[in-house]
Structure formats: structure tokens, C-alpha cells
Amino acid sequence: MEESVKFGRLAEAHFESGLLCAESVVSAIAEYQGVDEHLASKMATGFCSGMARTCGPCGALSGAVMGISLVLGRESLSDTVSTTYEATQELVEKFESEFGAKDCHKLLGCDIGTEEGMEYFRSHNLRSNCSNYTRKAAQIAVQILSKNA
């Protein structure tokens, strides 16, 4: 099985077991990199649900950006940001191309920061969409990271 598919499925399994979107993606990428996934998951919590239900970027996408930065981010002030930025831009472009948006409320068609939005989310079983975003964000990130290894 291709590595990106494996870690995409791992992220989805994390999500299905109770982790939230950003937590699931960054945990899978941390495992891919051999880094403590529990600390990575903890760092990601505020990014879940479109930055804590504020209609921000999709949490799965945010978790993937954190994962890319975990692997490619600068280690010293003299390091360049170009590799990380290029990988992040590619991730965002591919995610948006796949799903038509990058912000949580646009992807879901509702604002989950409101009672009405959460009711819509539940009644339309949109959690399954989030599971898909989680799997695909991790898969895209690992594809990009494997090219930069």
C-alpha cells in the first residue's frame, strides 16, 4: 500500500476513534515522521472545527499544514522558509482543487459555531464529510512530504 494512503487511512481511523480533524491529521503525520503524536495532537486542538468553530480554515487542512511544518519547518533562523511554504501552497491548492474550498463553513455549508449550524451538521451527517477531509488532507500532505524527503 502506498505510504500516503496508509497515513490517510490512519488519520481517518484517528478521527473515527474520537480525535478531531486537525488532531487526527497531525497525529498521523507525526507518526509518519516518528515524532510524539500525543504532543502534536494536543497542539492541534484549537485548530479543529475551523479554528474552534470560528469559520476558519478546515481543521484537517490546518493539521496537514502543521504536519508539513513539523517535517520541513525551520530549525534555525538562517534556514529558508521556501521549502515549507512551497509544500504548504501545494497542499492548499490540491485540497481546494479536490473539495472546492478550504474554509470549514464553506466546505460544510453551515457555521458550526451556531446552534442552527450544528443542527444542520448533525441532521445532514456532515461528520462523514469531515472524515473524508481528514483522510485526504493527510494523504496529500504525506505525498508532498515523500517528494521532499
Side-chain angles (χ1 to χ4, degrees):
M1 177 187 322
E2 186 182 328
E3 230 176 8
S4 64
V5 172
K6 173 185 171 184
F7 286 98
R9 288 183 180 164
L10 178 61
E12 186 175 35
H14 286 324
F15 185 76
E16 294 302 327
S17 72
L19 287 180
L20 299 176
C21 47
E23 296 167 340
S24 298
V25 175
V26 77
S27 291
I29 295 171
E31 189 170 324
Y32 166 75
Q33 189 60 23
V35 173
D36 179 359
E37 70 258 19
H38 300 291
L39 180 59
S41 175
K42 185 175 181 175
M43 283 182 358
T45 301
F47 292 91
C48 298
S49 305
M51 287 192 161
R53 298 183 180 159
T54 63
C55 295
C58 169
L61 181 60
S62 294
V65 171
M66 285 187 283
I68 283 175
S69 294
L70 179 68
V71 178
L72 300 177
R74 297 186 322 154
E75 293 187 34
S76 74
L77 296 177
S78 62
D79 289 348
T80 181
V81 297
S82 62
T83 303
T84 307
Y85 282 14
E86 288 168 12
T88 300
Q89 290 163 0
E90 182 179 351
L91 167 74
V92 171
E93 180 183 304
K94 286 183 175 185
F95 186 89
E96 255 186 316
S97 176
E98 177 85 16
F99 298 113
K102 63 183 176 186
D103 291 332
C104 182
H105 68 290
K106 290 181 180 174
L107 289 164
L108 296 177
C110 63
D111 175 357
I112 59 174
T114 67
E115 196 57 45
E116 300 82 16
M118 277 307 291
E119 178 53 38
Y120 183 87
F121 179 84
R122 287 185 200 102
S123 68
H124 287 80
N125 191 30
L126 295 179
R127 192 169 195 292
S128 63
N129 293 30
C130 296
S131 184
N132 188 35
Y133 303 144
T134 297
R135 183 187 75 255
K136 194 64 179 183
Q139 186 176 340
I140 294 168
V142 170
Q143 285 171 344
I144 292 167
L145 290 169
S146 67
K147 291 188 318 191
N148 285 286

